[in-house]
């Protein structure tokens, strides 16, 4: 499964004591491939540094980029589909270029994607993402 994490989802998942640590832990466990672009990494770094400090953010990001299930994507086209918040377009561009299955986000601006037939970009809330991971972990009989 190829996933993009919106910054707000990434932000709440990077600390072990946080309720959503399972998102980060699932990356570490290789349960999905995380797709990122340079623009996304820059935003992760900026927002997380403001909240947690630069040291912890740089440590997490450096570690992430060394994982075999983290892919750095270089989008070659800007789709400009998130008209309510154009700053979120970087996630769509990465999703299309990286052939992602989902963008995991709780940001309402991404709802516009449901009405756009091409390119089709699927989104999940963090809770829906958790349900998918739980289902995938169930033993198959």
């Amino acid at each position: 499964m190829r996933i993009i994490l919106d910054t707000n989802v990434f932000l709440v998942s990077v600390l072990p004591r946080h309720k959503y640590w399972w998102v980060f832990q699932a990356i570490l466990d290789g349960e999905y491939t995380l797709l990122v672009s340079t623009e996304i990494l820059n935003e992760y770094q900026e927002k997380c540094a403001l909240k947690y400090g630069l040291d912890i953010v740089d440590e997490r990001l450096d570690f992430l980029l060394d994982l075999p299930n983290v892919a750095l994507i270089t989008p070659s086209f800007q789709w400009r589909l998130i008209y309510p918040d154009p700053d979120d377009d970087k996630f769509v561009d990465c999703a299309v270029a990286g052939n992602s299955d989902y963008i995991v986000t709780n940001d309402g601006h991404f709802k516009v994607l449901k009405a756009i037939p091409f390119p089709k970009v699927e989104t999940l809330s963090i809770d829906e993402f958790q349900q998918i991971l739980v289902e995938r972990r169930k033993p198959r009989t």
Side-chain angles (χ1 to χ4, degrees):
M1 191 166 41
R2 298 170 65 82
I3 299 295
I4 294 172
L5 300 177
D6 181 21
T7 303
N8 291 326
V9 173
F10 183 79
L11 188 68
V12 298
S13 73
V14 295
L15 295 180
R17 68 181 184 273
H18 198 280
K19 159 182 172 176
Y20 293 110
W21 168 251
W22 61 264
V23 173
F24 197 85
Q25 185 64 54
I27 299 169
L28 300 178
D29 293 342
E31 292 189 56
Y32 63 93
T33 297
L34 176 66
L35 306 179
V36 294
S37 66
T38 301
E39 275 189 283
I40 290 171
L41 288 171
N42 288 340
E43 184 168 298
Y44 284 176
Q45 183 180 39
E46 176 190 342
K47 301 295 183 183
C48 290
L50 289 172
K51 188 163 180 94
Y52 305 125
L54 196 53
D55 291 340
I56 191 168
V57 174
D58 284 344
E59 173 190 313
R60 293 285 195 277
L61 291 178
D62 288 344
F63 180 75
L64 269 183
L65 291 174
D66 286 337
L67 293 174
N69 59 317
V70 175
L72 183 61
I73 304 298
T74 305
S76 58
F77 189 78
Q78 295 178 334
W79 290 92
R80 296 188 174 110
L81 301 179
I82 311 288
Y83 57 85
D85 187 359
D87 193 44
D88 287 335
D89 281 327
K90 68 176 88 34
F91 299 99
V92 172
D93 298 341
C94 187
V96 174
N99 195 29
S100 79
D101 294 299
Y102 304 104
I103 297 174
V104 180
T105 182
N106 285 348
D107 183 340
H109 293 135
F110 287 86
K111 289 180 181 175
V112 299
L113 295 174
K114 291 187 187 311
I116 298 172
F118 183 83
K120 194 65 185 159
V121 179
E122 299 289 338
T123 62
L124 292 174
S125 71
I126 196 167
D127 293 329
E128 291 168 329
F129 181 49
Q130 186 174 33
Q131 289 174 340
I132 287 175
L133 288 180
V134 167
E135 286 299 315
R136 290 173 53 116
R137 291 175 187 148
K138 287 183 181 176
R140 296 171 196 224
T141 56

